[in-house]
Amino acid sequence: MTTAVPTSSAPPGRSTGRPPGAAGGHLAHNYHPLPVTVTDGQGSWLHDADGRRYLDLLAGYSALNFGHRHPDLVAAAHAQLDRLTLTSRAFEHDLLHPFADRLAALTRTETVLPMNTGAEAVETAIKAARKWGYETRGVAPGRATIVVADGNFHGRTTTIVSFSTDDDARRGFGPYTPGFRVVPFGDAAALAAAIDHDTVAVLLEPIQGESGVIVPPDDYLPAVRAACDDAGVLLIADEIQSGLGRTGTTLACDLWGVVPDLVLLGKALGGGIVPVSAVVGSADVLGVLTPGTHGSTFGGNPLACAVGLAVVGLLETGEHQARARTLGAHLQSRLAALVADGLLAGHRGVGLWAGIDVDPAWGTGRDLCERLLARRVLAKDTHGATIRLAPPLTIAENDLDWGLDQLTAVLRTP
Ligand SMILES: *Cc1c(COP(=O)(O)O)cnc(C)c1O
């Protein structure tokens, strides 16, 4: 009897036997990771195979708002693994309605449509908005448009990259899905002017994460809401990165008291354990998706609902939102001091979420991340000179200060 022997040069186990981050081998090269290979994590800290300890200031692009292996989330997942993991939506399971009800209550919305990844939530909202537009606004068949902002990041599907303004994300992937109109982010007048009788929705990140934590002027989202109301079109807020506590509020839109028609959630909703996303919002709008028109094999599965319910449980107390506010104020003031000292070219942010701009005279964003890595701090550059800081909301204040001390030390030594 023969056993198939894997031809991979990488043996299973703790080490890949290859320089971390190196190209080659069997893995597709669609990422350029920092040269570190992580083997385990707890809270805000990670270890590599050699036992070195790193502070995580990226937190899975905010998928890890509660840190690595939060005990409540791990316990919920373990318990569910021992009961039931998948039914498909052909049958009901006992956590589906509790998950929908508690997520709706947390976000003060009527209806929850569960999916898996963020991009699927975006696609779901696009489909719902178009069908709603045809059925209730009388838009001529095939003519619906959705207004979006430049600098957006909504995911990686062919339709979503069709309205990306990032050349790397878009180029080479056509033919592009029509029906999107791009306007400058932060300019409510330009947005209002782009809405016409074929427009069904405006789709925006209230704060643009991937673009470098771009916070719009305070009057922007209220003006966008008013423009949508005037024209009778939907406001869809992509809160996949900004939502679930990051900004010090449950949703970023809460900062301005704006209530969208649909809110897209993902990332932290899965507690860093499983992919869980959802479209939450108006029953009238989501009601256009009737049986057979939309779905997902894994959407709303029991394991996802168990973890999602535990995430909702963490946010129901308001404690993590409050931490994001107080620690966030501390983070923003320390970053402002680095800008005042001339060590950073700029910074912006809200809550425990910041974009910092590296002075090109100092180096690139990638240089800074590599120098931080050498001091055992993990962060990731986005778009050249900008680095996004998004520590777990559970980070201890002295750990955050230690991380910022490392950042300061690195910036002081060009
Ligand atoms: C990450 C992200 C997405 C896409 O989520 P995936 O789970 O990677 O598909 C969409 N919108 C925003 C704002 C995001 O940050």
Side-chain angles (χ1 to χ4, degrees):
M1 194 183 83
T2 57
T3 316
V5 176
T7 53
S8 167
S9 60
R14 288 170 70 82
S15 168
T16 60
R18 169 185 302 128
H26 297 288
L27 181 66
H29 192 49
N30 61 327
Y31 276 90
H32 178 40
L34 287 167
V36 57
T37 301
V38 171
T39 55
D40 55 78
Q42 181 68 61
S44 303
W45 295 90
L46 293 164
H47 286 104
D48 67 12
D50 300 316
R52 283 184 289 254
R53 192 165 172 256
Y54 302 87
L55 184 67
D56 186 358
L57 294 187
L58 178 66
Y61 304 96
S62 292
L64 288 155
N65 276 2
F66 311 100
H68 296 270
R69 297 192 306 119
H70 187 288
D72 293 10
L73 304 182
V74 168
H78 274 302
Q80 194 58 35
L81 279 173
D82 290 334
R83 285 207 310 125
L84 181 71
T85 55
L86 188 69
T87 53
S88 86
R89 291 293 303 276
F91 318 116
E92 301 258 356
H93 67 77
D94 61 335
L95 297 184
L96 197 48
H97 288 280
F99 173 62
D101 293 349
R102 277 177 61 197
L103 183 58
L106 177 74
T107 55
R108 296 180 307 280
T109 54
E110 294 172 323
T111 302
V112 170
L113 195 162
M115 296 294 284
N116 310 285
T117 65
E120 287 175 304
V122 175
E123 291 276 353
T124 300
I126 291 169
K127 287 174 69 177
R130 285 178 171 181
K131 197 155 190 273
W132 173 86
Y134 297 128
E135 291 181 1
T136 71
R137 286 250 299 156
V139 172
R143 304 268 315 175
T145 63
I146 295 177
V147 177
V148 298
D150 66 2
N152 71 72
F153 182 82
H154 297 289
R156 302 292 196 172
T157 66
T158 44
T159 287
I160 293 171
V161 301
S162 294
F163 57 89
S164 173
T165 56
D166 175 354
D167 196 48
D168 288 339
R170 188 173 192 276
R171 187 170 27 86
F173 300 123
Y176 301 111
T177 305
F180 298 94
R181 196 167 291 165
V182 183
V183 296
F185 183 67
D187 181 345
L191 182 137
I195 296 176
D196 67 18
H197 53 276
D198 289 333
T199 306
V200 295
V202 169
L203 167 64
L204 292 173
E205 299 155 86
I207 296 170
Q208 290 188 327
E210 193 68 23
S211 233
V213 192
I214 312 295
V215 185
D218 277 338
D219 56 1
Y220 179 62
L221 279 166
V224 169
R225 177 70 273 184
C228 291
D229 288 342
D230 287 348
V233 306
L234 304 175
L235 175 57
I236 304 171
D238 181 347
E239 296 244 18
I240 289 165
Q241 194 167 152
S242 60
L244 305 178
R246 177 57 59 192
T247 58
T249 46
T250 301
L251 300 177
C253 284
D254 297 341
L255 292 167
W256 298 283
V258 165
V259 180
D261 299 286
L262 298 178
V263 176
L264 316 183
L265 301 172
K267 291 203 164 95
L269 192 56
I273 299 177
V274 281
V276 185
S277 70
V279 182
V280 304
S282 154
D284 285 346
V285 179
L286 288 173
V288 304
L289 298 176
T290 51
T293 60
H294 187 65
S296 161
T297 303
F298 290 94
N301 70 73
L303 184 59
C305 287
V307 173
L309 270 166
V311 165
V312 171
L314 291 177
L315 288 165
E316 278 169 347
T317 68
E319 158 203 349
H320 290 90
Q321 295 90 321
R323 268 190 86 70
R325 284 196 297 277
T326 48
L327 282 184
H330 182 61
L331 168 71
Q332 308 294 348
S333 78
R334 283 204 59 179
L335 294 176
L338 293 177
V339 176
D341 289 349
L343 293 173
L344 281 176
H347 104 282
R348 66 217 147 255
V350 59
L352 203 53
W353 199 24
I356 59 176
D357 300 322
V358 181
D359 188 336
W362 184 93
T364 65
R366 176 82 186 188
D367 295 334
L368 182 56
C369 290
E370 285 177 357
R371 297 272 302 276
L372 285 171
L373 173 64
R375 287 180 165 266
R376 315 279 170 88
V377 173
L378 300 183
K380 182 74 176 72
D381 53 308
T382 174
H383 296 106
T386 298
I387 290 164
R388 173 178 18 187
L389 299 177
L393 308 182
T394 52
I395 192 171
E397 182 164 355
N398 59 323
D399 290 342
L400 178 62
D401 272 323
W402 179 83
L404 293 170
D405 291 345
Q406 306 315 304
L407 174 66
T408 308
V410 163
L411 290 169
R412 285 225 164 96
T413 46

